[in-house]
Amino acid sequence: MGGRTTLLVLTFSLAVLSIELGISHGCREKERKALIDFKRGLHDPSNRLSSWVGEDCCAWEGVGCSNISGHVIKLDLRNRRRTYLTEDCTHQEVYYLLDDDPGCNWALRGDITPSLCSLQQLSHLDLSGNYFLQKPIPKFIGAFRRLTYLNLSDLSSNKLVGGVPDSLCNLQTLESLHLRRNNLSGPIPLCLKSCTELVTLDLGHNNFIGNIPTWIGESLLYLKTLSLRSNAFTGSIPQLSSLTSLRILDLSNNNLSGIIPQSFGNFSAFLKIIFQESFLIAEKSPQSLVILDLSRNKLQRNLKSLDLSYNFLYGSVPASLANLSSLQSLILYSNELNGTISEAIGGLKGLIQLDLYNNSFRLPTSSRNLRYNETFTMFLDLSHNSLHGSVPTSLGNLSSLRSLFLYSNDLNGSIAEGIGGLKGLNYLVLSYNSFRLSELHLVNLSSLKYLDISYNYIDLNKGDEWIPPFQLRSLYMTFCQIVPRPHFPRWLRLQTTLRDLSLSSTSIKERIPNWLPSSLEYLSLSNNEISGDVPQYLPNLMYLDLSNNSLTDHLSPRILNMMPSLQFLDLSNNKIPGFIVGFWTICGSILLNSRWRIAYFQAIDNMCDELYVVLVLNVAMFKRKLMVGGQVD
């Protein structure tokens, strides 16, 4: 008896010691085979799964096991190099310019095979950002009853399709569900209300329809993040007053209507609210925008971001908005708001981003109106606001400003006092105004990287003497009136990092100089009176527009000897001799050069896409005007 007791004590002690030392039973053979079967169904172009060899699957990349039982409890194969900018790994299209995006090459490709069913102890499954076959969400995922985290977001162009299967509703221990950026459709299934432990629910960028279910606010009481953006939800915003822990709410880019429930003001934990493009309508009252007057309640304590862009908001922003003392981002663009900018920001001392694009705001005349933000604001967009007069000196107080957009207004005068002292400015867009600028107005902008001064008056009176304090990456001077004479600014030769340059429609009459920066990738010189030859010394050029000039160059064989990176070339309406030679030179290049051929058809596709987008936007704008007109009546 004593011996048996001693054995039991010894066995128990060893078990406790194993737990304390993190000793496991090693990889379970059945689960190892399941992972090997899963790997066989994948194409791994970057060899991410090279460690998936040997007997101990717990040591494999992306696999996590329990220290006690040895069961696989975590499978994290998300594509960490994938950015949301890469939408289509088939053609590796990137919708914004990036220096490098290896995300598509890093993506696993293939199928989510049922062999994973053997991982019954799985609590964390992340396959986001990869390139799985276009199929519905596998029903067998509903068998992972211990799952607390599921991420099937961003599965490239061949996304998940269909609706959310009812089997997912079996995951009643689920705390985070991410199905963002797929092609899922239909209404949100009612049975998801049984997943009462959910803290994060992200169904954004899909094709879900119908009203936003009221049971979200009644059953998912632990929600901190709710994102339903970029779907096709209709109706009004439901009451969510029971979600007292809600911190981030994103309902943007849907077909919602009505007003924001006033109960939102009681959310003390809110960090971010986004209602962009939801067609919400402001409620008339003596205080104007009741819809924005959320600061009388607990909301003022934590709210970091408020986005109400692309709605039907009108009138002035209430002064009580200044009580949102933690606000860092205020985005109100494309509404019908008015008043001065100081009324919009008041005492928002922590404000980093202020976007008031396409409204009717006015600039303050006194510098004291912006004194509260001189150390904080980094992004300011007041474009399309019908601003007129000169730039106030008060803008010079925003010493931390990095991006300033004032295009498409009626501003005039100089920028020296209002903007010239912003030494940290990276982006400056002043196009479509009536400024009179010279090199002296830019002399302190040493951090400038992007400058757009198109459709203004430019006085380049310093000539060859001036040395810029900055190194630009992009310079746009389209339709500028360059005085005292139209010419290539000589200081461009010092811009060794310049990638984009537009001097179109500036009345330049000279030859293209041989000192333009060799770093140029985009060069537009159309609609001038430029003579001479086509430049050959720019090895990185991808886009070259020399149309509507007086070039006299013989295209053959010079055109065939240009930079191999060139994807777009326009030499139309010049004095280049030999129509047949020029025609067959270009057409022959398209036929024989695969890169040119692909670029040509991509350009055609992009042009069609742009025309489609313009048409859709115009139709939407027309509908909005009709809706607004109907309400006014």
Side-chain angles (χ1 to χ4, degrees), residues 145-371:
R145 297 301 181 94
R146 297 177 181 269
L147 210 60
T148 60
Y149 182 95
L150 176 61
N151 193 339
L152 300 177
S153 300
D154 299 286
L155 296 185
S156 195
S157 60
N158 282 343
K159 305 168 186 286
L160 298 172
V161 296
V164 176
D166 290 343
S167 60
L168 244 61
C169 302
N170 297 330
L171 307 178
Q172 297 186 13
T173 60
L174 205 59
E175 297 176 3
S176 294
L177 177 59
H178 302 262
L179 299 175
R180 181 184 64 253
R181 291 185 185 274
N182 287 293
N183 284 328
L184 301 174
S185 57
I188 301 177
L190 175 63
C191 64
L192 271 184
K193 67 184 297 185
S194 62
C195 300
T196 55
E197 301 297 315
L198 276 173
V199 175
T200 299
L201 178 60
D202 187 352
L203 303 178
H205 295 276
N206 282 288
N207 299 309
F208 289 109
I209 61 174
N211 292 341
I212 296 176
T214 57
W215 54 258
I216 290 180
E218 298 167 354
S219 301
L220 309 184
L221 302 182
Y222 298 114
L223 272 183
K224 291 184 178 180
T225 299
L226 174 61
S227 176
L228 303 177
R229 70 176 301 159
S230 297
N231 280 284
F233 290 111
T234 56
S236 58
I237 298 176
Q239 290 289 340
L240 302 174
S241 54
S242 297
L243 306 182
T244 55
S245 298
L246 200 60
R247 298 170 70 83
I248 297 176
L249 175 64
D250 190 346
L251 304 179
S252 60
N253 196 18
N254 280 285
N255 295 317
L256 303 174
S257 59
I259 64 172
I260 300 175
Q262 291 187 354
S263 60
F264 278 19
N266 295 321
F267 289 119
S268 59
F270 254 138
L271 293 178
K272 182 183 290 186
I273 306 177
I274 306 177
F275 297 135
Q276 185 185 65
E277 294 189 75
S278 297
F279 303 109
L280 299 171
I281 302 169
E283 195 176 63
K284 289 184 178 180
S285 79
Q287 295 178 336
S288 188
L289 285 183
V290 173
I291 193 170
L292 283 179
D293 196 358
L294 305 175
S295 57
R296 296 177 179 177
N297 299 287
K298 300 176 183 177
L299 188 62
Q300 61 180 324
R301 287 193 241 163
N302 295 309
L303 188 65
K304 302 293 184 185
S305 177
L306 178 60
D307 187 340
L308 290 164
S309 54
Y310 286 111
N311 284 291
F312 293 129
L313 309 182
Y314 54 85
S316 60
V317 178
S320 56
L321 192 67
N323 294 330
L324 301 177
S325 56
S326 297
L327 204 64
Q328 295 179 356
S329 176
L330 177 59
I331 305 175
L332 301 174
Y333 60 79
S334 294
N335 283 289
E336 298 178 24
L337 301 169
N338 55 42
T340 65
I341 182 178
S342 58
E343 293 172 349
I345 63 174
L348 299 177
K349 298 181 180 181
L351 200 64
I352 294 175
Q353 179 182 13
L354 178 60
D355 196 334
L356 306 178
Y357 167 86
N358 198 18
N359 282 284
S360 298
F361 285 104
R362 302 186 304 276
L363 286 170
T365 57
S366 172
S367 61
R368 64 180 177 86
N369 290 325
L370 288 175
R371 70 182 187 275

Side-chain angles (χ1 to χ4, degrees), residues 402-415:
R402 296 294 179 265
S403 301
L404 178 61
F405 299 85
L406 294 174
Y407 63 89
S408 295
N409 284 293
D410 191 24
L411 296 168
N412 53 44
S414 72
I415 66 168

Side-chain angles (χ1 to χ4, degrees), residues 61-76:
E61 179 71 24
V63 179
C65 295
S66 168
N67 290 332
I68 301 173
S69 66
H71 284 294
V72 174
I73 59 175
K74 181 177 182 179
L75 184 59
D76 185 353

Side-chain angles (χ1 to χ4, degrees), residues 375-436:
T375 314
F376 299 98
T377 307
M378 299 179 67
F379 178 101
L380 177 60
D381 190 345
L382 278 167
S383 305
H384 280 283
N385 267 279
S386 302
L387 304 178
H388 57 85
S390 59
V391 176
T393 57
S394 55
L395 282 182
N397 294 337
L398 303 178
S399 58
S400 294
L401 201 62
R402 296 294 179 265
S403 301
L404 178 61
F405 299 85
L406 294 174
Y407 63 89
S408 295
N409 284 293
D410 191 24
L411 296 168
N412 53 44
S414 72
I415 66 168
E417 294 182 357
I419 301 174
L422 298 175
K423 296 181 179 181
L425 206 60
N426 300 139
Y427 288 79
L428 178 59
V429 182
L430 303 174
S431 51
Y432 295 92
N433 282 288
S434 300
F435 286 115
R436 290 185 175 272

Side-chain angles (χ1 to χ4, degrees), residues 2-3 9-10 58 76 87 96 107 126 164 200 215 261 268 274 315 363 366 391 405 451 528 538 541 563 623:
V9 170
L10 181 61
C58 297
D76 185 353
E87 290 293 340
Y96 296 92
D126 191 339
V164 176
T200 299
W215 54 258
S268 59
I274 306 177
L363 286 170
S366 172
V391 176
F405 299 85
L451 178 62
N528 287 294
L538 300 174
L541 264 188
M563 298 66 63
K623 287 182 178 179

